[in-house]
Each structure stands twice: as C-alpha cells, then as structure tokens.
Amino acid sequence: MLNAAAAERNKEPILAVLQESVNTGRHLQALEISSGTGQHVTHFAQSLRNIVWQPSEFDRQSLASIEAYRAHYQLPNVRPAIHLDASLPYQYWGGIPPESIDLVVNINMIHISPMACSEGLFKGAGAVLKPQGLLMTYGPYAVNGQIAPQSNIDFDYSLRQRNPEWGLRDISFLGSIAEKSGLFLEKVMDMPANNKCLLFRKESLV
C-alpha cells in the first residue's frame, strides 16, 4: 500500500467536488484513469457507495498498490484494477464498452505525461462515456497561456527539466482537444494548493 502525500491531502477536496457534481441517488459506473496508489479510489468508493469504481494504471508498481488497498478495505464497489495506457485507443482499455461509463476521473496525470496521453484521455473518455456523462480532471494548469503563482511556474520548469514532454497544460488548449471528442468544458473549480478541477460534459456533436 503505497502512500502519496499529495493524494492524502487532496482526496477530501476532490471528493467534495464529486459529491456536488454527480447524482448520488442512482447506480453509476466510474472509471478512474491513472489511479496512482489506490488512495483516491478507495476513499471515493467509501463515500459514494452508489458508484461502482474501475481503477486503472499504466505503472505496474501502482497496480500492485491499488490491489493492496482493495484487499485492505474490502469494498464491494471497487473492481480489480486494469492496466491502461491512456495514449492508446479505448479499444485497448481493458474491454470497457463504448457509452458504458457515467463518470471518468483523472487526477494529476495530464502534467506528468506526454501530450499523447492527454489526447488519448479525451478521445477515450468521449467514447466510453454515456451521453451527458462527466469527465473530471484535477491538477495544476495554465490559464490563457499564463502559469501562476510562482510555485507553479517553478513546478512546470522542474517537470520540463525531468522530461521535455511533461509540463502544465493550458485549460483553453485542453478544452479545444476535448471538443473534438464531444466533451465540453462545463466548469472550472479552484482547489487548494493552486490546483483546479475541470469538469467536461459529453454532449452530442450534432
């Protein structure tokens, strides 16, 4: 059971956004892409019992940690984690059928992965979400081409030093990618530690 300090800090504020944004009165299917340690999905599942959660990860060590959290909490509404590469088409996402998911959650992936993962995230979410389904992403972002405050500027610089394909993405740019897959930015919510939640709704392209 790996423990990420950031996940421990942000799991409750993100849960509050989910509780405000999703229907808690009916059974829903959720897919978490890039689940990390498993701290988020098990925390969300304990409060949002009406949602069946499908965790997923690319990193094999994280997959083992997710399974350890599942074994520890014994939650009936958390499925076994699947290996998922967000840069690949949804047909490679562990057999998830199109238009079968009500909610896709993606926390702290977009800025620490190549752009192909963000593009794949929106394409795949656009395919697997039901009409009017919701994609929620969380992390630090640029706004209108500007990164603020200084701590986020420094963070962006350190990410790009580690990997030139990483870095904070601009919300408008992500919105334009999302719209190609029928996902429209519905709300931007300020979060603690200079992060934001972006809520995208799947709409008809007609």
Side-chain angles (χ1 to χ4, degrees), residues 25-101:
R26 63 187 186 92
H27 292 292
L28 303 173
Q29 302 289 327
L31 167 65
E32 186 184 24
I33 295 175
S34 188
S35 294
T37 60
Q39 288 162 265
H40 284 125
V41 72
T42 48
H43 183 68
F44 301 159
Q46 288 173 76
S47 293
L48 295 168
R49 297 273 180 171
N50 63 306
I51 301 178
V52 175
W53 295 85
Q54 175 62 72
S56 71
E57 245 301 335
F58 178 74
D59 177 71
R60 297 288 180 181
Q61 189 180 18
S62 296
L63 281 168
S65 180
I66 297 164
E67 287 308 291
Y69 274 91
R70 283 185 68 247
H72 178 78
Y73 286 105
Q74 295 286 308
L75 295 163
N77 60 328
V78 181
R79 292 193 170 117
I82 58 172
H83 182 259
L84 190 152
D85 182 344
S87 70
L88 295 178
Y90 83 92
Q91 290 90 339
Y92 297 92
W93 287 11
I96 297 168
E99 299 200 341
S100 64
I101 302 291

Side-chain angles (χ1 to χ4, degrees), residues 105-133:
V105 175
N106 181 244
I107 298 167
N108 280 336
M109 180 201 84
I110 288 174
H111 59 286
I112 52 170
S113 59
M115 184 57 70
C117 291
S118 296
E119 293 168 346
L121 167 69
F122 289 114
K123 279 183 189 170
V128 301
L129 279 171
K130 297 175 184 176
Q132 300 301 307

